């Protein structure tokens, strides 16, 4: 029902990258260090799974799970080429077996389950394995009582797996239903583009839905809509800003701020302590203990929660906290990883 | 809904034409016999035999695309017909209590045989007027929200749900997007997976993707023989993968969307047989089979304690398609209580900067 063509110029790689929005030529390494956000116009370019993990979690904390799950061509699907062949080629090119990567890691010291979709793998489409990995991520989060963060990017359900793909919508939603009933926290980040069966299932069933600036988010793709209604689509249609104005998402958060915002939401909704402590303190403490990916710049970015600019300059003694969140992790009450 | 008599030849599909033409001849002869009081039995009989032979021949070897076209047949019985034929004491309940009353989905309390049910059904029309009013069976978010509101009502009072699926897909329009089409469908899917009453669904015509699943998460999934259920319309799939909307026929085959295909994949519980030549050739018999199979399943499900009902529905979707070795392996590991051994990342930077990936999806 929905698809979006992936533009070559959006793809990271090469020594220099041209911003698809303002056409500024940027040194690719600099762009990667800047969260794949154009320094000139703030356009959010597509980032790789590895980059996304790096931008979201503490350095080196990600432990990927279920990497071995590999899609199967159950239908013997064949269009111009066979699906089996397409899978092989894509896996080789993208260096991953599927469009979904899941695992655990820490985010400013807090353990979380993270799932990242990869639009470069057959348009991030959801077949059996993507659905399975989403479900497994939900189950791990539930078992270990961890917050779940899913970063979505998808053209929808995968056609090559037919109705099996469609059923993944039910599988993932059913798992999320249980997770919600158990009080689990699920934060979704919808990136460019998130459409079709993914939007119509797990992506929109989060406790808090965050859109990346300018991301295309919708049920049907714009071309399908245009072909159906035969009229021009309004300016900015289906972009994050459009959806925010119509009450469909909770927030728009730019990529450099995302890690801190996720942390902040977790501290509000699944706090590590009874007492509400200033987030700047928590971030400073996390930065000391993890020495990770620049949590300091986040302190500035964490708008709306008393983020103070002093946080990054404050000395450890001044913050006066007695323990670091990394050591606490009190949400892990029942860690029943039941070794076989 | 008033019965109309459309010209059968005009609404006949190309592969039905020889049959319909023969039938016209038979009718003409019978009329003539009546008017002239001549005995034409000997003339009519071979024609009837020929028709039956033709019917059997044509319907024995239908292609998936032909089945799709039967599912969309202009004469095919739709929700309105089943309301007339098998549902009684119908009390329609309108509106989502939020925005409007979407006529593409009808919700009603009704009696089916000796069961009280909440009927939730896609509605299409037969006249241009009706088709406009029901938006060709393409619901907006308010349709899904209306359905959810009535499902919750049924759950509160322990009324089993019957859903009849017949939609090309949820409506792709500006208003639908603005009001959260995707989230409305997702919410229904999630909530249906937890409903504490039996849910029996039947695809009676088109099972168009997320728009179908939005009222289709159930304990028993039935399909009328010549209906289809797909992740994307064959035309949509052809346009994306073949870059040619005309290749719908090939897409219909590749997608495995007929009742037989889905039965073979283990995704549905029952195929409800249709009369030879399709439901539209004998809507009464079709309706009776449909009623009987729905009733049978409701009664079976009612025997289960509610907790088990909900649990088995969960399992049904959790391990859907477990003919898949991979899913079976995960399941077995889980059931042993094992946790996956952390595996090293497949590694490598995936960006190669020159791929031209295309978003491929339905929903």
């Amino acid at each position: 029902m929905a698809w979006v063509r992936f533009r070559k110029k959006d793809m990271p790689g090469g020594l220099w990258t041209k911003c698809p929005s303002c056409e500024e030529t940027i040194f690719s390494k600099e762009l990667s260090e800047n969260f794949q956000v154009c320094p000139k116009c703030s356009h959010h370019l597509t980032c790789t799974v590895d980059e996304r993990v790096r931008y979201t979690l503490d350095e080196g904390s990600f432990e990927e799970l279920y990497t071995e799950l590999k899609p199967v061509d159950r239908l013997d699907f064949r269009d111009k080429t066979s699906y089996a062949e397409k899978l092989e080629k894509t896996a080789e090119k993208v260096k991953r077996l599927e469009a979904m990567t899941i695992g655990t890691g820490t985010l400013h010291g807090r353990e979380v389950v993270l799932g990242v979709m990869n639009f470069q793998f057959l348009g991030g489409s959801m077949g059996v394995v993507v659905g399975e990995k989403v479900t497994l991520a939900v189950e791990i989060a539930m078992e270990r009582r961890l917050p779940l963060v899913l970063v979505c990017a998808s053209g929808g359900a995968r056609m090559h797996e037919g109705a099996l793909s469609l059923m993944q919508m039910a599988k993932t939603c059913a798992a999320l239903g249980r997770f919600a009933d158990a009080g689990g926290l699920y934060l979704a980040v919808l990136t460019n583009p998130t459409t079709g069966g993914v939007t119509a299932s797990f992506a929109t069933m989060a406790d808090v839905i965050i859109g990346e600036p300018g991301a295309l988010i919708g049920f049907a793709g714009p071309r399908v809509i245009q072909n159906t209604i035969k009229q021009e689509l309004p300016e900015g249609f289906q972009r994050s800003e459009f959806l925010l104005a119509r009450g469909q998402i909770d927030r728009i958060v730019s990529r450099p701020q995302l890690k801190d915002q996720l942390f902040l939401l977790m501290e509000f909704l699944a706090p590590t302590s009874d007492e509400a402590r200033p987030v700047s303190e928590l971030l400073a403490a996390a930065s000391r203990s993890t020495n990770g990916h620049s949590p300091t710049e986040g302190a500035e970015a964490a708008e709306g929660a008393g983020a103070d600019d002093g946080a990054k300059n404050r000395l450890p003694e001044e913050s006066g906290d007695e323990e670091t969140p990394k050591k606490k992790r009190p949400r892990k009450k029942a860690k029943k990883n039941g070794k076989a | 809904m008033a019965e109309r008599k459309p010209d059968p030849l005009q609404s006949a599909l190309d592969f039905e034409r020889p049959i319909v033409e023969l039938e016209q001849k038979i009718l003409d002869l019978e009329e003539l016999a009546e008017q002239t009081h001549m005995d034409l039995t000997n003339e009519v009989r071979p024609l009837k035999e020929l028709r039956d032979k033709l019917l059997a021949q044509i319907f024995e070897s239908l292609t998936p695309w032909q089945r799709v076209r039967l599912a969309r047949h202009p004469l095919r019985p739709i929700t309105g017909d089943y309301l007339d034929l098998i549902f009684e004491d119908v009390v329609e309940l309108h509106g989502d209590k939020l925005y409007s009353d979407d006529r593409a989905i009808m919700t009603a309390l009704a009696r089916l045989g000796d069961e009280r049910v909440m009927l939730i059904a896609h509605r299409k029309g037969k006249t241009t007027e009706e088709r406009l009013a029901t938006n060709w069976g393409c619901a907006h978010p308010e349709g899904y929200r209306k359905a959810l509101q009535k499902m919750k009502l049924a759950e509160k009072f322990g009324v089993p749900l019957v859903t009849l699926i017949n939609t090309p897909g949820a409506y792709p329009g500006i208003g639908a997007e603005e009001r959260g089409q995707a989230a409305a469908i997702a919410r229904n899917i999630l909530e249906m997976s937890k409903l504490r009453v039996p849910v029996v669904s039947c695809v009676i015509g088109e099972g168009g993707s997320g728009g179908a699943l939005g009222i289709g998460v159930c304990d028993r999934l039935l399909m009328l023989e010549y209906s289809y259920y797909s992740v994307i319309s064959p035309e949509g799939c052809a346009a994306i993968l073949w870059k040619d909307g005309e290749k719908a026929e090939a897409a219909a085959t590749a997608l495995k969307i007929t009742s037989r295909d889905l039965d073979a994949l283990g995704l549905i519980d029952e195929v409800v047989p249709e009369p030879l030549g399709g439901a539209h050739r004998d809507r009464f018999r079709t309706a009776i089979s449909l009623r009987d199979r729905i009733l049978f399943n409701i009664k079976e499900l009612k025997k289960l304690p509610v907790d088990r009902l909900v649990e088995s529905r969960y399992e049904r979707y959790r391990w859907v398609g477990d003919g898949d070795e991979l899913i079976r392996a995960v399941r077995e590991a889980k059931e042993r209580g094992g946790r996956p051994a952390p595996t090293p990342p497949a590694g490598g930077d995936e960006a190669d900067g020159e791929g031209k990936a295309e978003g491929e999806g339905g929903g």
Side-chain angles (χ1 to χ4, degrees), chain B residues 289-301:
Chain B
S289 326
L290 181 63
R291 182 194 66 191
D292 290 350
R293 294 321 302 162
I294 293 175
L295 273 178
F296 172 83
N297 281 292
I298 291 178
K299 287 181 191 305
E300 288 290 299
L301 293 166

Side-chain angles (χ1 to χ4, degrees), chain A residues 219, chain B residues 105 122 144 165 167 169-170 185 208-215 363:
Chain A
F219 175 66
Chain B
I105 290 182
H122 287 116
Y144 293 100
I165 296 166
T167 180
I185 290 171
S209 187
L213 194 63
I215 62 166

Side-chain angles (χ1 to χ4, degrees), chain A residues 1 166 219, chain B residues 122 144 165-170 203 205-214 228-233 363:
Chain A
M1 182 131 296
L166 189 67
F219 175 66
Chain B
H122 287 116
Y144 293 100
I165 296 166
N166 191 11
T167 180
V203 186
E206 297 186 87
S209 187
L213 194 63
Y228 79 89
Y229 196 4
S230 180
V231 66
I232 185 169
S233 71

Side-chain angles (χ1 to χ4, degrees), chain A residues 283-303:
Chain A
L283 286 174
S287 126
R288 282 198 310 278
S289 64
T290 58
N291 220 357
H293 193 262
S294 57
T296 45
E297 70 197 72
E300 299 162 345
E303 35 134 343

